[in-house]
Amino acid sequence: MAKPEERLAQWLRDAHSMEMQALKMMEGQVERLENYPELRARIRQHIDETRGQADRLEACIEKRGTDTSALKDTAGRMMAMMQSMSGVLAGDEVVKGSMASYTFEHLEIASYRTLIAAAERVGDDDTRRVCEENLKEEEAMAAWLADHLPETTQKYLEREMAGVEAKR
Ligand code: MG
Ligand code: FE
């Protein structure tokens, strides 16, 4: 049976892999959002935040004595789900992308809540603080996306009606 310490180490690696996935997804989105400058700017901000989150997680993992060279191994697990929601082929990718991002932020929120509880159990205060910091950024991003989903949707529909390239 795995000890709490081992579970914490595993969940930290999973979270790191999740952040790498988030980066990949957002970097792809940001390229295609020229008609949605506000959304694009907020995603750019979150890309920077996400890089910081991944670095902080890596520091936690290293400090706990786990080899960080194995971090890449778990990357890509959520790829299928994100691709199916991306809407690239459906044409309404800005809307599907916003939905996918909102969903992904909640996956991150759940992950950090879990990690905070595990770090508390193990008595790793640094990891708990890092996860609380990351959690705040995910909650802020989720709230922003929720606030702007209606606007993004309506702008998309307007553009589609006007016959301009509404896809993005
Ligand atoms: Mg994140
Ligand atoms: Fe996030």
Side-chain angles (χ1 to χ4, degrees), residues 52-72:
Q53 293 172 356
D55 288 348
R56 290 195 288 272
L57 286 173
E58 223 170 298
C60 289
I61 292 164
E62 255 166 42
K63 210 206 64 184
R64 299 194 53 79
T66 314
D67 185 7
T68 50
S69 68
L71 282 180
K72 269 175 257 154

Side-chain angles (χ1 to χ4, degrees), residues 97-136:
S98 290
M99 288 170 63
S101 297
Y102 184 71
T103 304
F104 202 95
E105 293 308 326
H106 285 83
L107 183 68
E108 296 183 287
I109 287 167
S111 166
Y112 288 120
R113 288 192 191 286
T114 300
L115 275 167
I116 289 164
E120 266 168 16
R121 172 63 182 77
V122 165
D124 184 342
D125 291 338
D126 290 341
T127 296
R128 181 180 49 76
R129 269 192 295 272
V130 159
C131 292
E132 282 168 353
E133 197 179 337
N134 288 7
L135 173 64
K136 268 190 206 130

